[in-house]
Amino acid sequence: MEAVITPASALAVTPGEPASALWERVAEKLKARHGEAVYRSWLRGLECKHIEGGKAVLTAPTRFMREWVAAHYGADIRAALQELRSDILAIDILVRQADAPAAAPCAPSLAVSTSPAADAALLAVPEADLAALAMSAPLDPRCTFEHFVVGKPNELAHAAARRVAESPAVVPGCNPLFLYGGVGLGKTHLMHAIAWHIRAHGGGRRVIYLSAEKFMYQFIKALRSRESLAFKETFRSVDVLMIDDVQFISGKDSTQEEFFHTFNALVDQNKQLVISGDRSPSDLEGIEERVRSRLGWGLVADIHATTYELRLGILHSKIEQMRGIHIPQKVVEFLAHKITSNVRELEGALNRVVAHATLVGRAITIETAQEVLMDLLRAHDKRVTVEDIQKKVAEHYHIKVSDMHSARRSRSVARPRQVAMFLAKRLTTRSLPDIGRRFGGKDHTTVIHAVKKVEELISQDAEFASEVELLERMMRA
Ligand code: ADP
Ligand code: MG
């Protein structure tokens, strides 16, 4: 929206520093506190119109922005202003109007202040919006598209999520969008990213994001307090409904029932649904057949286990966000090689290494990383041995364990052997030469070749990818 140009005389600018200059300084503080992404999404659009009678009057470009900013950053904005100008006691956020002076008296005001009178102004916000906002779980400011690193394993899920986020209406063939994959692979991140995007650019489309667990909790609460009608209304009045971790409602019959009806009502009204789960709709256990089949109606996009390249990309992106932290490339590669379970653990490992280095004030090396992550690396190691892997993989492909050690090159034996080497690299902390030795004294370059080959196949062949993933999950279980 265009900024409003109000004649200067109409603004009661406090003598001394103009409101806009003061606001610039406040904006810097907010940016430092909340980070670039939050600032750009929510705070950059604010303007400070004037300061009068202890109150700073700000304007936001849309109604939704005003509510969101007031609810999430209001207290902070007031505090930041107060730090610079102690006479500011409250802030008022108005919606900027294109064709009227910004502070027109008719503009509904949403005040953020400690006085009860100001709190009453909250009532000026349409109730349905507030109800939707209240149902929605908070969104992690770090989980935006900008911060999501795309690679082969999550390419499809990411592209679909973006489509849904950017489309002004329901995306044909993508309703519902069902995202699934193992823990810590980015399902929740993508859902938050969709919600952030729509809230910032969706032109007032109403979004509810919550976990299936919270959905159930809200539903039961509504039943108990005899407010199930209001509950239904809230959920059925949204434009985009996102339910995370749907597997949680397995075995919960009445919640499934309500979910099913909400789902149908929204699809009938052409509203967008985004659902996530830990497995594909058809594999969800304890969920009624009719619910499962509805879940699989639209686009089902799976997020595969990470590849080495993706892990490297994610590490680089996270390190960049840490600003000013230097980690030698060797250490980054070490982490990407060793922490293969999921992105959450990878992040955790990185944070630990950085925290340690900052605390003791020493440079980060592979040795210190190894030391700091000893338990994690050991756990990975302990969980599974090369021998276990060989046994399980041989069983799966109906070959003999001794074939793992042989030099036979026929595809029926060589491919399973490569898969086993790949898994040995991923799931144990053994070095490449060590793995080679355990496969009948092969060279480490053979292992490298196997890992590359399997990664290549995973990225090209979805069926093969899920087969390997299944093997990996079995091994970890
Ligand atoms: P899930 O919901 O699938 O269990 P999350 O979305 O919670 O996983 O992801 C776990 C952590 O890993 C989060 O901190 C998330 O930001 C991060 N993460 C996952 N995938 C990516 C990615 N592709 N790029 C950047 N960060 C990621
Ligand atoms: Mg999640």
Side-chain angles (χ1 to χ4, degrees), residues 359-381:
L359 278 177
V360 303
R362 252 187 317 184
I364 299 168
T365 63
I366 291 192
E367 286 69 38
T368 55
Q370 230 156 1
E371 214 178 284
V372 176
L373 302 176
M374 191 138 49
D375 56 331
L376 204 58
L377 297 172
R378 236 197 239 136
H380 272 257
D381 217 12

Side-chain angles (χ1 to χ4, degrees), residues 374-392:
M374 191 138 49
D375 56 331
L376 204 58
L377 297 172
R378 236 197 239 136
H380 272 257
D381 217 12
K382 223 189 295 168
R383 246 178 256 167
V384 34
T385 64
V386 176
E387 288 67 35
D388 287 338
I389 294 171
Q390 291 172 333
K391 198 159 150 267
K392 284 260 168 57

